[in-house]
Amino acid sequence: MQGKIGLEEHFAIEETLNDSKGFLDPSIWEELAGRLMDPEDRRLREMDENGMEMMVLSLNAPAVQAITDTQKAADLARRANDNLAEKVARHPDRFRALAALPLQDPELAAAELNRCIKELGFVGALANGFSEGADPDALLYYDLPQYRAFWAECAKLDVPFYLHPRNPLARDSRIYEGHPWLLGPGWAFGQETAVHALRLMGSGLFDDHPNLRIILGHMGEALPFNIWRVDNKNGWVKAPHPQPAKRTFTEYFEENFYITVSGNYCTQALLCSLQVIGADHIMFSTDWPFENVDHSANWFDAVEISENDRHKIGRQNAIDLFKLDL
């Protein structure tokens, strides 16, 4: 398929490059670093060779979210966003941008989101999971009450928010002790992000802001397979649900969430997702540079789905959600 649009496509700046160093084997670090810091040459070549018209770019992980000094986080986010704006300006027909945000402080995050959308022409935001702040005992998940004003601004701007994974902190990773291969994209990324997404659903956030749209990568971080059980556990017990949200998790997932196929090129997972969330809420992505563009594109171009669904997932849903002028 020609004209594909990818939504989880990463870059790094010098200050964030080493944040990606531990995710893959050290023997290929030079290759990964080159991909992350590529001045667009190889990225564009990969796109051309694999039928991709556009990439929506975002900063690597955890980057801003792992900085405990709020002002330093805000300064880094601004530098990264300015760098990304320059990349987009050089190739406006091939790239769009998602803002990095200093969510350690919701007011600063809202201000930077406004700047990126209104002044730099970005089309949304991406956060690498929870943020760390000055209090080492506090993890800042975005369902917490102090984030409601930020979400109100996001809803007012009517832009999507991509909730990207990060590993749990070392103190919260005892379940993985002795099994480091379970950290990162193999398992811990998905588990951490799915819990964060469920916290957002259960908090009542989408009752207050029904137009909010959250994107999850990697075929929805296993939620298409598990969301039914979240709602229907112990179904014989007729008791009110304990969460503040007024509706079911499934309803929020179907209406307020989109998922991408980034890094999860599994046909069975896609077919499950089509049945659960529907073709209108699934979008193409590659997860470059951590995955290969050709692996994603070759699978997607050949996967046995209808051509109508292929067009929606590969291109049209992104155009509609991000209001792309294509």
Side-chain angles (χ1 to χ4, degrees):
M1 173 186 167
Q2 295 297 311
K4 293 186 289 293
I5 299 171
L7 306 172
E8 188 180 325
E9 321 299 342
H10 305 297
F11 78 105
I13 60 175
E14 289 289 349
E15 297 98 314
T16 67
L17 178 60
N18 284 333
D19 285 21
S20 297
K21 201 163 190 176
F23 294 136
L24 295 173
D25 189 87
S27 65
I28 56 88
W29 170 241
E30 184 175 349
E31 165 69 12
L32 179 59
R35 292 181 178 198
L36 280 164
M37 298 296 292
D38 176 65
E40 294 94 64
D41 295 342
R42 180 172 177 184
R43 189 186 297 269
L44 287 167
R45 186 170 68 251
E46 295 275 354
M47 293 167 65
D48 290 341
E49 291 173 354
N50 292 284
M52 288 190 72
E53 179 177 352
M54 181 169 285
M55 282 188 173
V56 182
L57 305 179
S58 54
L59 191 63
N60 63 322
V64 176
Q65 268 58 68
I67 299 175
T68 57
D69 184 300
T70 298
Q71 191 56 54
K72 289 182 179 178
D75 291 344
L76 179 64
R78 189 178 185 93
R79 288 196 301 276
N81 291 331
D82 287 344
N83 178 287
L84 181 51
E86 293 174 3
K87 292 181 185 297
V88 173
R90 288 194 292 269
H91 305 280
D93 58 332
R94 307 304 300 276
F95 298 140
R96 293 289 189 275
L98 299 178
L101 299 177
L103 281 154
Q104 291 82 348
D105 183 314
E107 289 186 11
L108 289 177
E112 182 63 8
L113 179 61
N114 260 285
R115 184 181 81 92
C116 289
I117 301 301
K118 295 179 179 179
E119 298 180 22
L120 302 183
F122 286 18
V123 295
L126 180 145
N128 292 307
F130 63 86
S131 289
E132 300 171 58
D135 181 354
D137 294 323
L139 296 183
L140 299 173
Y141 288 91
Y142 309 135
D143 63 296
L144 295 172
Q146 62 262 40
Y147 288 100
R148 286 308 174 97
F150 166 79
W151 288 119
E153 193 63 29
C154 200
K156 180 181 176 182
L157 291 167
D158 194 23
V159 293
F161 182 97
Y162 204 123
L163 184 61
H164 184 271
R166 65 174 295 182
N167 272 326
L169 298 183
R171 70 168 189 259
D172 301 317
S173 301
R174 287 177 294 173
I175 192 173
Y176 302 115
E177 285 180 3
H179 306 275
W181 51 85
L182 290 173
L183 288 165
W187 188 257
F189 273 7
Q191 182 187 55
E192 170 67 37
T193 310
V195 170
H196 200 159
L198 291 169
R199 289 178 60 145
L200 293 174
M201 294 180 207
S203 71
L205 174 64
F206 303 105
D207 299 323
D208 295 339
H209 303 293
N211 72 314
L212 275 178
R213 297 294 181 264
I214 310 295
I215 305 171
L216 301 174
H218 318 110
M219 210 73 77
E221 313 293 5
L223 284 175
F225 187 83
N226 291 314
I227 196 74
W228 186 93
R229 180 156 168 79
V230 174
D231 277 322
N232 293 278
K233 59 189 183 298
N234 309 125
W236 62 276
V237 179
K238 305 303 180 185
H241 64 67
Q243 65 268 21
K246 296 177 182 178
R247 305 170 71 195
T248 66
F249 288 90
T250 300
E251 287 175 299
Y252 298 120
F253 189 55
E254 291 175 343
E255 295 180 20
N256 298 98
F257 281 76
Y258 286 73
I259 69 174
T260 77
V261 305
S262 59
N264 191 346
Y265 319 134
C266 174
T267 299
Q268 293 89 338
L270 176 59
L271 296 178
C272 171
S273 299
L274 282 167
Q275 290 188 316
V276 172
I277 200 170
D280 291 341
H281 281 241
I282 305 174
M283 296 179 290
F284 179 76
S285 287
T286 74
D287 209 352
W288 173 265
F290 302 98
E291 302 286 351
N292 273 16
V293 174
D294 60 333
H295 291 174
S296 179
N298 291 342
W299 165 76
F300 182 74
D301 289 351
V303 70
E304 293 186 0
I305 57 176
S306 74
E307 291 308 311
N308 185 52
D309 285 350
R310 198 184 320 277
H311 178 74
K312 285 182 178 181
I313 295 168
R315 177 177 175 83
Q316 192 60 49
N317 291 341
I319 291 174
D320 294 343
L321 181 63
F322 288 99
K323 304 178 182 67
L324 301 177
D325 52 345
L326 300 178

